[in-house]
Amino acid sequence: MRNIHRPNRKSLVVALCAVLGSVALPVWAQQAQPAASGTAQDNDKGAPAKPEKAVQMKALSVVANRYDATNMRMDSVNTVEVLSASDLQRTAVHNVAEALGLMSGVNVTTTGTAYFGGIDGAARGEGMFASVRGLPSEYNVNLINGSNIAQGMPYSRSVQLSLLPPSGLQTIVLNKTAIADMDGDAIGGTIDFRTPSAFDFKKDFSGSVTASGRSESRARDYGGSGLGGGLAGELQGKFGAEKQFGVYVSGYYDYRNITNSEIGAAESASNDGSWAFLHATAEGDNAPGYDPARNLTSLGTNVGIAAGFERRYGGNISFDWNVDPTLKAYAKMTYAYALTEQNTTYNQLLPSDVTYVPTATPGVYTPNIGRIANRFWFETNPERADLATFQFGADKTAGGWTISPNVFWSFGRNDRPEHVEIDGREDKYSQDNFAYDRSSLLRYGSSHFPYPVLTPGLLNSVNNVQAMWANDYGEVTRIRSGQKRGGAKLDLRYDFEDGPVSSVKFGVKYSDSSRKFTNRDWSTGGINDGVTTLDDLGIFKGYYSSIFPDKFHWRTPDVSRAAVAALIDQHVLPSDLDTCGSLDFNNYNCDTMRGTEAVSAAYAMATINEGPVEIIPGVRFEHTSIHNTFWTTPTDDAGNELPGYFSNNRTIYNEPLGSLFINYRPSGNVVYRASIYQSYTRPAFVQLGGGSQINTSDGVTTITRGNPNLSPIKSTNVDLAAEWTTERGGYVSLSGYYKKLRDYIYDSGGGQANPNTTGEGTILTKTPTNGGDGKVYGLEATWRQKFQDLPAPFDGLGFSVNATRQNSKVDLGREGFGNERLQAAPQRMANAELFYEKNGFSLNLSYHYTGSYLSTYDFLNQNDPWDDLWIRPIRRVDLHAGYQFTNGFQVDLQVSNLTKQYSYWSHIGKNSLVNSDIVDAGMTTLVTVKYAF
């Protein structure tokens, strides 16, 4: 670092123009679109910068504790949050997605899209995705050691973060703002997961071994062991004559066994129509004068058990070579694998013969359920996922130049290798059983928990599922989804000795990716002999004595997934292929998508110092070329399906992005920040190049397909922040943010977003379309204080709290949906922690709160926002206690969800709980023993 001379205002303007060129400011002034990718801007470790010195982060760093993390936050040129190695070790979470929830402005969701969505995903009982500052997870950029990682999700650009356990990483850096040398497709945030190198350790040789044991309380409620565990190790060494070589290797394996409880009235309403208006017209429509969102009743529900396991393993390798004082080279590799088996056993209580009868109010009717159909449904939600990254790079200094080339490659998969289903029906041959006479199946207890009201006949039936008629021999679906992604980048920085401009930085980046998705389904023929029961199929291996302990006390079978799969294999025929058509040729290919995406980027930025003021203007340009291949299925004039063919389309995006960051450091312990920058997010591949169907009827041809002309979602972002540290162990931050969105596209899973029919005459085209404008704005506050001035032993006490208050509004582009909340954007979030750290002992008691948020738009397809699916507020208390012995041993106890709150509760309508989905995943206890040497 050097002393910076104070230039006059004119010299600043001249320098800025010289650095960026005459085009820079006009481009920034336009509402250009996002850009760059890269690493968080982290500084070398050390004391806070003095006000007369510029602070430019120069290297990726891992941090050991929260105090190092504070230094990194203070030194950064942009707004970041950091979780250190000790933060990850002392938090009672399942994976890094849940760890991100400890940060302000981050909402961790337990569901995603497609087979990761709804109660199926939530029943796993762990966080999967992270929303940053009100933006869905696919609006984030995810990095490992500063390099982009593949996106293997089938219908989304999201990355399934539950794949990564906390033990596999050392530091998580969340960039909440993006400077010009970072990827521009990050409206939400840029999350960088970091692994250490040998040079992050003081010793020349060291390592550790960690063993863990786990217990899941809900599985024990069902009479199972609920046990799990894991083993992890790491080893690092520096060698060579001058210790110029460094190698770091780590590996882990863990497993957990789950048995969680589910009740699914919202799921039943969506899939089976098990809902109605309590006050209705004679035709069943909403009665005039009643708010439809508050006028719902539940006519049926699912009650079930999600049981299975998760196995994860992986590791990291890094090799570093300090060739000489001016040249450093490195190679890094990471790999993570997860195999999940999730088997759901459902009792389905479905309405039939529903009529509407008059009430005491003239013209107002209420539903009456004529009978309840009791059915059994077993399905699996398996997943095989992995994620790997490889990168090679170097940092070379020569004079004032720093040259940093980097080559990277990644692959990721999210497969559903063999999803099987089988069902049985009590009413397969007779519609006279289980007469009913109520307007709702459910009654409600404390906190509005739903209880099915069962007649004696129904109660006997649910306790004897094995006697149900078998409906068929099952169904199997196989899904493959993955992406390969690679590229290279070159960053160059020049540090000036004199003048107002302390440095300029510019670079280029190119990445190319390919992805493939296939979905194929086979359904066996029905069983209609009037004799075969579910018990006759040989798929049961025992019984659960209670389907939902402490709530519903009827028993239900424990189904063997292997037996169901074997039964299907025994009876399935090639002609049973029925993915999405009637012709085998179409069925094999109709749900197949392939795509390539190439992104070229270039950027330039400068750092200008005016005493304690640091000014960082920048501009970035990204060019994206996307090519999609998909299957087209036509029909003739009579509606008969014809053999299909592969089609393709192309999308081009050119996005100029400007940024301006200003930091004011009046002293070494305070920094004030202001920034404005632009960013964007590309639409999901399924929206651009989804499969095409061509239907001809009465001389009119309707083409349904993806839309390659979709615009990217664009955002202009403003951020104001202030951060302080004190000499008495305190840290405070306050930040405000505003994001102005354009061309919004919401997450609609595998379906079209804002489907719109265009054209005239005999040719019509139905495609997804962009929505309108939106905005999200909020305030974040963090305060951490250690009471180091108290007399011993109380000087180890401290607390940490962060809180977020945000609002969002977006126009979906559909009539009636012009004032919606953003998905996964709660208005209030908070974390509070009371901790004690002294003499090797640590104790952490933490409380996590997430307010209600909107999950799915128009859940019942009523073309009105009253039926949006909402998530009820989440409250969780976690506990950690640990002790580090002087001989290298460390013991930790971590308890997640100490008070056993429900892990998921969704409901239809913001102000109604009558159609709810609920998951009870219980409490998780983890004990770890670590030996470091």
Side-chain angles (χ1 to χ4, degrees), residues 752-806:
Q752 290 187 342
N754 300 337
N756 185 43
T757 301
T758 59
E760 57 184 28
T762 60
I763 303 294
L764 302 177
T765 302
K766 185 177 182 181
T767 61
T769 59
N770 286 98
D773 293 343
K775 60 184 178 182
V776 57
Y777 55 94
L779 290 172
E780 298 170 347
T782 299
W783 183 15
R784 189 185 69 245
Q785 181 67 56
K786 186 173 182 179
F787 300 113
Q788 60 189 35
D789 294 332
L790 290 177
F794 303 105
D795 52 345
L797 283 171
F799 73 88
S800 176
V801 60
N802 65 59
T804 302
R805 178 69 168 87
Q806 65 185 8

Side-chain angles (χ1 to χ4, degrees), residues 659-788:
S659 61
L660 178 63
F661 285 74
I662 301 174
N663 297 315
Y664 174 55
R665 304 177 187 271
S667 65
N669 69 329
V670 61
V671 56
Y672 301 98
R673 309 181 189 276
S675 64
I676 181 169
Y677 65 98
Q678 294 166 315
S679 55
Y680 75 113
T681 294
R682 307 176 194 100
F685 289 93
V686 69
Q687 303 298 331
L688 296 169
S692 177
Q693 292 81 41
I694 303 175
N695 296 304
T696 302
S697 178
D698 297 327
V700 177
T701 299
T702 301
I703 305 171
T704 302
R705 64 186 180 196
N707 183 4
N709 298 315
L710 286 172
S711 298
I713 308 95
K714 296 173 280 289
S715 178
T716 299
N717 315 278
V718 178
D719 187 86
L720 299 173
E723 299 178 60
W724 302 267
T725 60
T726 71
E727 296 178 355
R728 290 176 171 81
Y731 170 79
V732 178
S733 71
L734 181 65
S735 60
Y737 56 91
Y738 176 86
K739 297 177 182 289
K740 176 65 175 178
L741 305 174
R742 292 181 290 145
D743 300 320
Y744 178 65
I745 299 178
Y746 58 90
D747 184 352
S748 58
Q752 290 187 342
N754 300 337
N756 185 43
T757 301
T758 59
E760 57 184 28
T762 60
I763 303 294
L764 302 177
T765 302
K766 185 177 182 181
T767 61
T769 59
N770 286 98
D773 293 343
K775 60 184 178 182
V776 57
Y777 55 94
L779 290 172
E780 298 170 347
T782 299
W783 183 15
R784 189 185 69 245
Q785 181 67 56
K786 186 173 182 179
F787 300 113
Q788 60 189 35

Side-chain angles (χ1 to χ4, degrees), residues 118-456:
I119 196 171
D120 272 350
R124 295 184 179 181
E126 63 176 350
M128 289 190 179
F129 306 97
S131 163
V132 178
R133 288 188 164 179
L135 281 306
S137 58
E138 63 181 354
Y139 285 51
N140 299 328
V141 167
N142 295 277
L143 312 172
I144 292 182
N145 293 319
S147 291
N148 299 90
I149 59 180
Q151 302 160 340
M153 297 287 292
Y155 300 113
S156 169
R157 290 182 178 272
S158 299
V159 173
Q160 185 186 353
L161 300 179
S162 56
L163 176 62
L164 305 173
S167 60
L169 300 162
Q170 294 293 321
T171 303
I172 303 176
V173 178
L174 170 59
N175 293 267
K176 293 185 174 179
T177 56
I179 58 178
D181 66 347
M182 299 171 61
D183 284 336
D185 55 332
I187 301 178
T190 299
I191 308 171
D192 193 0
F193 303 99
R194 300 183 178 177
T195 62
S197 75
F199 293 106
D200 290 309
F201 297 84
K202 295 180 180 179
K203 295 181 178 180
D204 289 340
F205 178 81
S206 63
S208 68
V209 177
T210 303
S212 63
R214 178 188 302 270
S215 175
E216 307 280 346
S217 72
R218 200 57 180 163
R220 298 183 69 83
D221 292 339
Y222 280 101
S225 70
L227 298 180
L231 187 65
E234 63 178 355
L235 195 66
Q236 70 83 22
K238 292 176 278 291
F239 56 95
E242 299 179 355
K243 304 297 181 183
Q244 69 271 33
F245 299 105
V247 175
Y248 173 85
V249 180
S250 70
Y252 66 87
Y253 170 83
D254 67 14
Y255 66 97
R256 59 188 292 247
N257 294 306
I258 64 167
T259 310
N260 298 330
S261 305
E262 306 176 55
I263 183 166
E267 179 186 43
S268 182
S270 175
N271 295 339
D272 302 303
S274 302
W275 68 277
F277 293 112
L278 185 61
H279 303 92
T281 65
E283 294 77 24
D285 297 327
N286 186 53
Y290 289 89
D291 178 1
R294 299 175 181 269
N295 189 29
L296 297 175
T297 188
S298 178
L299 307 183
T301 194
N302 301 325
V303 181
I305 300 168
F309 63 80
E310 182 180 54
R311 305 285 187 268
R312 297 184 298 194
Y313 62 81
N316 313 307
I317 300 174
S318 70
F319 173 78
D320 294 86
W321 180 18
N322 294 331
V323 183
D324 58 46
T326 69
L327 177 60
K328 298 180 180 180
Y330 59 87
K332 297 178 183 292
M333 185 194 77
T334 69
Y335 181 73
Y337 175 89
L339 177 65
T340 302
E341 181 178 297
Q342 179 185 348
N343 307 317
T344 302
T345 302
Y346 266 140
N347 254 136
Q348 295 182 292
L349 302 169
L350 306 179
S352 186
D353 303 334
V354 178
T355 59
Y356 289 86
V357 297
T359 67
T361 303
V364 176
Y365 295 75
T366 194
N368 186 70
I369 305 171
R371 71 182 187 90
I372 291 291
N374 180 31
R375 297 177 180 176
F376 177 80
W377 178 33
F378 173 81
E379 68 159 350
T380 67
N381 191 21
E383 182 190 5
R384 182 175 58 225
D386 63 358
L387 178 64
T389 66
F390 305 85
Q391 62 170 303
F392 304 90
D395 294 296
K396 170 65 177 178
T397 58
W401 287 97
T402 301
I403 305 168
S404 302
N406 180 272
V407 178
F408 58 92
W409 188 71
S410 175
F411 69 81
R413 295 182 297 174
N414 287 93
D415 295 340
R416 202 183 198 191
E418 188 167 277
H419 161 78
V420 299
E421 299 183 32
I422 199 166
D423 67 304
R425 303 188 177 190
E426 184 72 38
D427 60 347
K428 184 174 177 65
Y429 302 109
S430 172
Q431 309 300 304
D432 298 329
N433 42 355
F434 310 133
Y436 212 68
D437 186 20
R438 285 172 51 93
S439 60
S440 174
L441 174 71
L442 305 176
R443 65 175 179 83
Y444 301 92
S446 61
S447 302
H448 219 78
F449 190 92
Y451 293 84
V453 178
L454 304 183
T455 64

Side-chain angles (χ1 to χ4, degrees), residues 515-798:
R515 62 181 296 120
K516 184 175 182 180
F517 169 79
T518 62
N519 181 354
R520 298 185 180 107
D521 181 86
W522 292 261
S523 298
T524 64
I527 301 174
N528 299 296
D529 56 13
V531 175
T532 304
T533 66
L534 287 175
D535 202 34
D536 295 330
L537 300 180
I539 60 174
F540 299 148
K541 58 182 179 181
Y543 288 87
Y544 296 102
S545 61
S546 176
I547 195 170
F548 200 123
D550 304 323
K551 298 296 182 183
F552 317 131
H553 299 293
W554 69 82
R555 73 170 191 167
T556 202
D558 183 2
V559 180
S560 167
R561 184 209 61 81
V564 173
L567 185 70
I568 294 171
D569 287 343
Q570 181 181 350
H571 292 88
V572 70
L573 301 172
S575 59
D576 291 331
L577 182 66
D578 63 349
T579 310
C580 42
S582 57
L583 300 179
D584 287 348
F585 189 56
N586 289 337
N587 273 316
Y588 191 79
N589 295 295
C590 59
D591 218 352
T592 297
M593 291 185 292
R594 296 192 296 269
T596 62
E597 181 176 66
V599 182
S600 304
Y603 73 90
M605 56 186 286
T607 300
I608 303 167
N609 291 92
E610 172 74 5
V613 179
E614 183 182 50
I615 304 172
I616 307 171
V619 63
R620 184 181 182 94
F621 181 81
E622 289 193 358
H623 169 78
T624 304
S625 176
I626 302 173
H627 185 272
N628 285 306
T629 300
F630 49 88
W631 189 255
T632 296
T633 305
T635 62
D636 60 20
D637 290 342
N640 298 311
E641 183 180 315
L642 300 175
Y645 50 89
F646 280 108
S647 301
N648 57 72
N649 63 28
R650 184 176 293 276
T651 299
I652 301 291
Y653 294 132
N654 291 300
E655 304 299 330
L657 307 165
S659 61
L660 178 63
F661 285 74
I662 301 174
N663 297 315
Y664 174 55
R665 304 177 187 271
S667 65
N669 69 329
V670 61
V671 56
Y672 301 98
R673 309 181 189 276
S675 64
I676 181 169
Y677 65 98
Q678 294 166 315
S679 55
Y680 75 113
T681 294
R682 307 176 194 100
F685 289 93
V686 69
Q687 303 298 331
L688 296 169
S692 177
Q693 292 81 41
I694 303 175
N695 296 304
T696 302
S697 178
D698 297 327
V700 177
T701 299
T702 301
I703 305 171
T704 302
R705 64 186 180 196
N707 183 4
N709 298 315
L710 286 172
S711 298
I713 308 95
K714 296 173 280 289
S715 178
T716 299
N717 315 278
V718 178
D719 187 86
L720 299 173
E723 299 178 60
W724 302 267
T725 60
T726 71
E727 296 178 355
R728 290 176 171 81
Y731 170 79
V732 178
S733 71
L734 181 65
S735 60
Y737 56 91
Y738 176 86
K739 297 177 182 289
K740 176 65 175 178
L741 305 174
R742 292 181 290 145
D743 300 320
Y744 178 65
I745 299 178
Y746 58 90
D747 184 352
S748 58
Q752 290 187 342
N754 300 337
N756 185 43
T757 301
T758 59
E760 57 184 28
T762 60
I763 303 294
L764 302 177
T765 302
K766 185 177 182 181
T767 61
T769 59
N770 286 98
D773 293 343
K775 60 184 178 182
V776 57
Y777 55 94
L779 290 172
E780 298 170 347
T782 299
W783 183 15
R784 189 185 69 245
Q785 181 67 56
K786 186 173 182 179
F787 300 113
Q788 60 189 35
D789 294 332
L790 290 177
F794 303 105
D795 52 345
L797 283 171

Side-chain angles (χ1 to χ4, degrees), residues 68 72 81 154 159 213 223 351 367 381-382 451 598 620 673 687 754-755 854 859 864 868 891:
D68 291 338
M72 182 183 286
E81 287 204 43
V159 173
N381 191 21
Y451 293 84
R620 184 181 182 94
R673 309 181 189 276
Q687 303 298 331
N754 300 337
L854 193 157
F859 189 66
D864 202 281
D868 292 342
V891 179

